[in-house]
Amino acid sequence: MKKNIKPSVSAILLGSAIASASGSASAYNLYSEAGTELNLDIEAVLGVFSSQESYRPNSEGGSSDWQEGYLKYGLSGQHAFSSGASLYGALNLVSSATWGDGDAGGFTSGDESETELEDAYVGWRSGNLIPVLGQDGLDLSFGRQSFVIGDGFLINGDALNLGDALGNDLDRGGAYWLAARKAFDRTAIARIGGSEGLRSDLFWLESDNKGQAETELAGLNLEYVIPEGTFGMTYLEGLGVNEDFGYANRDGQETVSLRYQGNAGVDNLFLSGEFVTQDQGDDSTDGDAWYLEAGWTFAELPWSPSVNYRYSTFDEGFDPLFFGFNRGYGTWFQGEVAANYAGPFNSDADVHHLGLKASPTETLSLGALFFDFSDTTGGSGGLDGQEVDLYAEWVVNPHLIVSPLVGFYSPDHSDENGGTQIGNDDTNVYAQLIAVVPF
């Protein structure tokens, strides 16, 4: 049985970050003999949410209280051959639901529930068959699985989980914030190289998510990994889209990204940045996006506090693609209210972000996040505003992880003068409580 009693809630909720190619967040070993391993995978998450203000189109405003949950369950395993190569795979279902009023953004109604296939993939690792590539230097996988590039600025699984509030065709069973479903419908992925030096990913991804217009794309990701950090370059090309659900610009879209993340050889320093240029596949306006982030951990002080500052900017024509919740609160959902319900949604905005975090114990972390949104909605400022989020991540015991959060979102405009907050521009008090149960 595999356990980790000190993961952050952020890490658990990443989905794609906690799931390796051979298993998932919580795996019980059912069988292990003669190079063969079979695991029972179980992952359960529940969220309780409350928002004093509403951002639902065509509504009269008011508060929203709702709950989300999902259970992921199935089997994963691998078989190692005498040559050192191995086969691996997984077959998992997800049951998800939303109850109550539905979310504050109007993406769910509170009456969604669904059980569907999530992971269904097979793969092969080379072991030491190709010495020049290193141990498992060639990894080929096919089927229904998640896929992540870098820290999820462009691709972090197919994790947009809409409900039936925008139409039954878009309904993926609710659990909008929790992003219960993260797997692309069909994939072919070749991972080449080891954990250090030059490595690459060649991939083809096809979504069955109508909220993403069933986008099909392919690409190449190159990384150079050294102790001081990782340099990356990614090329994506859109191959097709279901235009009945929008995103016609993705057919033929070309996206190029350059990035770095590491400490530049300086202990306690954190640096991260990415620049993306994007040529749309139709007559839509091309767009760029980039961010720079720097942080420092005061490791010698009690609780090892850290501080991070980030500036990110997104052109009006930028398509954020499959971005998602990756290395913690604020990436890449910038502001729990703004990024999930009110907007902006990683396009047509400039964002200043300051983050503070400290760990009183090995099992408890406390954090505070500040966001300032400006130059939104074509420069009109319709979605300008500020947000402060205060949160904790607490590993209560090996079978329960809890994360409470309270947010204060202050829009500069209400819906009557260009914003999305229905009825007024008062500060919205928002709260959520996430519980993760590793079995």
Side-chain angles (χ1 to χ4, degrees):
M1 179 173 66
K2 297 185 290 184
K3 286 184 183 178
N4 180 358
I5 65 169
K6 296 190 295 183
S8 70
V9 168
S10 300
I12 291 292
L13 293 176
L14 307 188
S16 52
I18 59 171
S20 68
S22 61
S24 65
S26 301
Y28 281 82
N29 182 255
L30 298 176
Y31 175 84
S32 183
E33 188 174 341
T36 299
E37 179 179 307
L38 181 65
N39 300 309
L40 173 65
D41 301 332
I42 306 178
E43 177 183 316
V45 185
L46 177 67
V48 180
F49 305 84
S50 178
S51 177
Q52 284 188 350
E53 304 290 345
S54 176
Y55 309 91
R56 301 170 183 167
N58 305 317
S59 75
E60 296 181 358
S63 62
S64 296
D65 298 288
W66 73 101
Q67 304 82 45
E68 300 178 4
Y70 75 84
L71 177 66
K72 180 178 178 179
Y73 48 96
L75 299 171
S76 65
Q78 61 179 344
H79 175 75
F81 299 98
S82 59
S83 64
S86 61
L87 285 173
Y88 64 88
L91 184 67
N92 285 286
L93 300 174
V94 165
S95 298
S96 64
T98 298
W99 306 273
D101 299 330
D103 70 274
F107 300 107
T108 55
S109 68
D111 192 29
E112 293 92 356
S113 62
E114 189 171 290
T115 296
E116 290 287 349
L117 182 67
E118 174 65 355
D119 299 319
Y121 61 84
V122 295
W124 177 85
R125 296 191 184 98
S126 62
N128 55 12
L129 289 177
I130 312 175
V132 69
L133 295 179
Q135 181 68 26
D136 289 328
L138 180 60
D139 184 332
L140 306 174
S141 59
F142 308 88
R144 186 176 176 90
Q145 61 181 318
S146 185
F147 180 69
V148 178
I149 295 177
D151 68 355
F153 191 67
L154 292 173
I155 295 182
N156 197 78
D158 191 358
L160 179 59
N161 284 241
L162 301 176
D164 61 13
L166 301 179
N168 290 330
D169 286 341
L170 300 175
D171 185 9
R172 296 187 91 197
Y176 166 73
W177 190 98
L178 296 179
R181 292 172 174 81
K182 305 172 182 72
F184 288 95
D185 182 44
R186 293 192 287 176
T187 69
I189 302 169
R191 298 177 172 91
I192 305 169
S195 58
E196 292 188 358
L198 186 64
R199 64 165 309 279
S200 64
D201 306 294
L202 288 165
F203 52 91
W204 169 77
L205 311 172
E206 186 174 67
S207 169
D208 63 349
N209 186 346
K210 292 181 174 61
Q212 291 282 11
E214 300 177 332
T215 297
E216 178 187 359
L217 57 84
L220 168 66
N221 177 50
L222 293 174
E223 295 180 345
Y224 184 62
V225 184
I226 56 176
E228 294 77 16
T230 298
F231 297 87
M233 180 183 72
T234 300
Y235 172 78
L236 305 172
E237 181 169 349
L239 302 179
V241 71
N242 185 342
E243 294 188 14
D244 290 344
F245 298 96
Y247 292 114
N249 59 292
R250 292 185 178 177
D251 190 359
Q253 181 187 78
E254 294 183 309
T255 303
V256 178
S257 162
L258 298 173
R259 66 184 183 277
Y260 168 80
Q261 190 170 110
N263 67 0
V266 179
D267 290 343
N268 301 321
L269 178 66
F270 175 79
L271 298 173
S272 188
E274 188 161 357
F275 175 79
V276 182
T277 183
Q278 192 174 72
D279 295 331
Q280 306 300 346
D282 59 5
D283 294 330
S284 301
T285 303
D286 297 338
D288 298 337
W290 59 269
Y291 79 91
L292 291 173
E293 181 174 352
W296 187 266
T297 299
F298 298 88
E300 303 304 318
L301 294 180
W303 299 9
S304 299
S306 63
V307 58
N308 284 58
Y309 169 76
R310 180 176 69 232
Y311 174 76
S312 56
T313 180
F314 307 86
D315 286 351
E316 185 177 355
F318 180 71
D319 178 357
L321 292 170
F322 293 88
F323 76 96
F325 191 112
N326 193 286
R327 56 183 163 90
Y329 288 112
T331 56
W332 275 104
F333 285 85
Q334 300 200 78
E336 291 304 294
V337 176
N340 285 291
Y341 317 111
F345 303 101
N346 282 14
S347 187
D348 193 12
D350 295 340
V351 186
H352 292 274
H353 164 59
L354 182 65
L356 305 172
K357 192 170 186 178
S359 299
T361 71
E362 288 188 345
T363 58
L364 176 64
S365 294
L366 306 174
L369 308 172
F370 169 77
F371 302 90
D372 177 80
F373 307 95
S374 61
D375 197 27
T376 60
T377 55
S380 70
L383 296 182
D384 288 6
Q386 297 79 41
E387 180 168 348
V388 174
D389 297 317
L390 308 174
Y391 68 93
E393 298 171 325
W394 180 28
V395 182
V396 181
N397 59 53
H399 300 288
L400 178 62
I401 306 169
V402 175
S403 180
L405 179 146
V406 59
F408 305 90
Y409 174 66
S410 299
D412 289 353
H413 304 281
S414 71
D415 67 323
E416 296 177 350
N417 51 11
T420 57
Q421 185 162 298
I422 306 300
N424 63 71
D425 55 7
D426 295 341
T427 295
N428 178 16
V429 179
Y430 168 83
Q432 66 186 38
L433 176 65
I434 310 299
V436 182
V437 182
F439 288 89

